[in-house]
Amino acid sequence: MTTSIVSKNKVFILLAQGFEEVPTVYCLGRMRKASLPVALVGLSSGLVTGMFGLTIRPDHSLDQVQSDEAARHVLIPGGRQCTTLLLADPRVHQLLECTLTMNGFVATTVGATAVISQTLTLLANSQKNFLPQGDMSLGKFASFLIDAATK
């Protein structure tokens, strides 16, 4: 990992094949409109295709994120394939652990919560920094994330 792209309140939205397009694009747009430093981060460079065929080019690949400087906050947008691919990559575990150690949050949309919550229970003291969408509407969830990221 070679390039530092991290700032104090940086938000990373992690992407892998099969991501849920609607929450990804909606949360990205709302956070950028709120002037948060948010970036789409893919497992590798190049295009990533969502579960319904939308193709996105992430701003950065995971290799561009220094392991010793995590994002302040991480959003995992869901999709079983996306979530499974993300959790199969040790760099993602390292990023999540570093983010939680810095007292940042790991947020998940409905489609990622069940899979991610199993992983986060393995990390000590992470539950207070785990922000699942739960039964919130996507709009309310995006507002909640913006508020959490600006505190």
Side-chain angles (χ1 to χ4, degrees):
M1 297 189 192
T2 59
T3 307
S4 178
I5 55 171
V6 178
S7 70
K8 182 180 177 189
N9 291 319
K10 186 78 168 183
V11 179
F12 288 164
I13 300 176
L14 300 183
L15 294 181
Q17 296 297 330
F19 69 92
E20 289 182 349
E21 293 102 328
V22 172
T24 300
V25 172
Y26 185 80
C27 289
L28 174 70
R30 289 279 310 272
M31 286 186 223
R32 285 188 174 166
K33 187 174 182 178
S35 299
L36 285 174
V38 60
L40 296 171
V41 178
L43 289 178
S44 59
S45 60
L47 300 174
V48 181
T49 302
M51 65 188 328
F52 297 108
L54 178 69
T55 301
I56 292 179
R57 180 176 311 280
D59 301 306
H60 308 285
S61 72
L62 203 50
D63 284 335
Q64 294 174 308
V65 179
Q66 285 190 349
S67 60
D68 61 340
E69 296 185 53
R72 177 75 172 124
H73 311 294
V74 174
L75 172 61
I76 299 174
R80 181 161 292 281
Q81 180 186 13
C82 171
T83 307
T84 301
L85 289 170
L86 290 172
L87 290 178
D89 192 314
R91 298 171 302 168
V92 172
H93 288 270
Q94 185 177 13
L95 175 67
L96 296 180
E97 186 172 349
C98 191
T99 299
L100 293 169
T101 300
M102 299 181 8
N103 205 29
F105 67 70
V106 174
T108 58
T109 63
V110 173
T113 300
V115 178
I116 294 295
S117 63
Q118 294 169 4
T119 299
L120 291 181
T121 57
L122 302 175
L123 299 172
N125 302 317
S126 64
Q127 290 304 313
K128 67 180 173 111
N129 296 62
F130 176 50
L131 307 178
Q133 181 180 355
D135 60 359
M136 283 185 259
S137 69
L138 187 54
K140 189 172 214 158
F141 182 59
S143 295
F144 176 71
L145 295 179
I146 291 165
D147 289 344
T150 56
K151 288 184 181 178

